[in-house]
Amino acid sequence: REGEEWDKQEAGPKWAHRNRAELFGAGGKLQAHGWPVLPSAAPPRYARCTMAQATALSPAALGYRMPAEWAPHVSTWLTWPRPEGISFPDKYETVPDVYAEFIRHLVTVEDVNINVWNAEKEAWVRGLLAERKVPLDRVHFHHFPAYEPWCRDHGPIFLVRDGRAHLPVGQSDAQQRVPTQRERAIVDWGYNAWGNKYPPFDLDDAIPQHVAKLRGLPLFSPGIVMEGGSLEVNGCGTLLTTEACLLNPNRNPHLTKAQIEQHLKDFLGVTHILWLGDGIVGDDTDGHIDDLTRFVSPTTVVTVVEEDPADENFKLLQENLHRLRSMKDQRSEEHTSELQSPMYLVCRLLLEKK
């Protein structure tokens, strides 16, 4: 609607599922919002909130939430891959053209923000995009270096909340606080390259801080390791994840399952967490949910299965399917049993055979 923001995480083909999209500012324009009012002197425009501060200052307590994938968005954030990286062994030469084709489609509907290593790399990417007939007026380059391109995992998680307008002093509380626009913030999870598998990763870990500073957005730092690809939300309070990844001792060995759930609730504004088991054999992310099961509506998921009983993935994916068939969304906690809504499995995707 006029003057109201809409929000989105990323969309796109599976190879792009770790790209992190940026959310709208009010009226479809990128906005920079100040830090929420804290019980002390006026804070800086760009600040960080950690778990050391009061729970009352968590994003959820301040009204923030992580939106679902399918809401409209204004731009997508990418990190351009490096030939020196480990992500595409012996295949890098095929990757830039794929990125160019993806960006060519994106710029027809939204802006694209690209993290690049330096000015030299920016010039090279600009040249490639121009050769591939990609309009550059909606492409924005940022010299935010990262070792690997998985921006969905190391990039910012954008949150939204309903904004408030403050009217002149002397009016009632109800008059002083009226809804106006949707505000944004960023969650900066710690990043350790999927359990310290591929050091160094300090530059990748810093990307959310660069983006928050660029946009002038509040930055919440939970102080624990988490990748964006390990989290899937329906935008209504339910989060889907896997035990194989989030409970892996190479991420947060000092935290219990209950403590991890509390961090997810505090920093993403969810109320209901659903757990699948293992990921696909050989997945170096240790079972990211975005390789397995995705929400396509608040009550519908699409998941992968293996139909060959002799395949090593058959049993573990059947177990995940069994769990999904018994799961309820967040309304199971809010309504009577007659209104509980089981999630619907819209289809099954077969794993491609090698």
Side-chain angles (χ1 to χ4, degrees):
R1 291 184 299 176
E2 183 73 21
E4 183 173 348
E5 176 210 314
W6 298 84
D7 47 75
K8 170 70 174 129
Q9 303 296 338
E10 47 71 36
K14 182 64 192 80
W15 64 264
H17 274 169
R18 290 192 180 92
N19 300 321
R20 177 59 57 196
E22 184 174 3
L23 310 180
F24 270 114
K29 298 179 180 178
L30 293 174
Q31 295 274 314
H33 299 292
W35 181 244
V37 177
L38 302 178
S40 60
R45 186 174 182 77
Y46 167 64
R48 305 178 73 181
C49 179
T50 69
M51 285 297 289
Q53 294 172 293
T55 303
L57 297 180
S58 72
L62 293 168
Y64 288 103
R65 63 178 179 83
M66 180 180 175
E69 292 270 345
W70 50 83
H73 64 207
V74 69
S75 76
T76 294
W77 280 85
L78 307 173
T79 298
W80 194 268
R82 302 183 309 131
E84 303 88 352
I86 52 85
S87 294
F88 306 105
D90 303 320
K91 294 183 179 180
Y92 177 81
E93 67 278 1
T94 68
V95 172
D97 279 338
V98 178
Y99 267 67
E101 179 68 5
F102 176 49
I103 294 168
R104 186 176 68 83
H105 288 284
L106 277 177
V107 296
T108 64
V109 293
E110 65 189 43
D111 288 2
V112 177
N113 292 278
I114 305 177
N115 301 319
V116 293
W117 192 261
N118 54 25
E120 181 180 1
K121 177 58 69 174
E122 175 185 343
W124 186 90
V125 176
R126 283 183 178 274
L128 172 69
L129 296 180
E131 289 177 4
R132 300 302 183 268
K133 310 300 182 185
V134 178
L136 294 176
D137 55 323
R138 304 191 75 173
V139 179
H140 311 281
F141 291 91
H142 309 279
H143 298 173
F144 301 158
Y147 294 105
E148 300 303 326
W150 307 116
C151 196
R152 180 177 178 86
D153 287 348
H154 64 236
I157 297 285
F158 285 89
L159 306 179
V160 293
R161 73 169 178 179
D162 291 332
R164 300 286 179 175
H166 297 271
L167 301 181
V169 176
Q171 297 185 2
S172 67
D173 289 343
Q175 291 174 314
Q176 287 188 20
R177 298 183 66 81
V178 296
T180 55
Q181 63 188 20
R182 189 161 289 173
E183 298 175 349
R184 299 180 301 153
I186 283 175
V187 174
D188 174 25
W189 301 106
Y191 176 77
N192 71 352
W194 311 288
N196 293 295
K197 292 184 180 71
Y198 305 109
F201 44 77
D202 56 308
L203 298 179
D204 310 59
D205 187 38
I207 293 295
Q209 300 167 43
H210 293 316
V211 176
K213 186 174 183 179
L214 175 74
R215 298 297 187 221
L217 296 176
L219 182 69
F220 295 92
S221 296
I224 70 170
V225 172
M226 194 77 64
E227 301 100 38
S230 68
L231 309 171
E232 179 74 9
V233 300
N234 71 348
C236 299
T238 295
L239 180 144
L240 188 62
T241 189
T242 66
E243 295 167 347
C245 182
L246 266 62
L247 303 186
N248 195 308
N250 64 15
R251 300 307 206 277
N252 301 291
H254 60 294
L255 297 179
T256 65
K257 183 176 183 178
Q259 289 171 325
I260 292 173
E261 287 192 340
Q262 192 60 54
H263 277 81
L264 296 174
K265 292 176 180 179
D266 288 341
F267 284 88
L268 300 180
V270 297
T271 58
H272 190 53
I273 299 173
L274 305 174
W275 294 85
L276 295 186
D278 288 325
I280 296 169
V281 174
D283 176 13
D284 57 3
T285 70
D286 301 310
H288 271 191
I289 192 67
D290 68 355
D291 281 340
L292 299 169
T293 307
R294 309 298 303 273
F295 279 110
V296 293
S297 83
T299 58
T300 305
V301 297
V302 58
T303 193
V304 297
V305 298
E306 173 55 64
E307 294 194 337
D308 179 2
D311 191 279
E312 58 186 342
N313 289 302
F314 177 82
K315 185 176 180 180
L316 64 90
L317 293 178
Q318 286 296 314
E319 169 60 23
N320 284 341
L321 184 63
H322 176 73
R323 293 193 190 192
L324 285 168
R325 283 175 168 157
S326 64
M327 286 177 175
K328 303 287 195 299
D329 64 23
Q330 71 285 344
R331 288 179 290 177
S332 65
E333 297 182 349
E334 299 171 0
H335 300 287
T336 62
S337 58
E338 290 86 311
L339 295 177
Q340 292 179 2
S341 53
M343 293 194 302
Y344 177 64
L345 302 178
V346 65
C347 66
R348 300 185 299 172
L349 300 180
L350 300 181
L351 296 176
E352 181 180 358
K353 297 291 187 180
K354 292 186 179 179

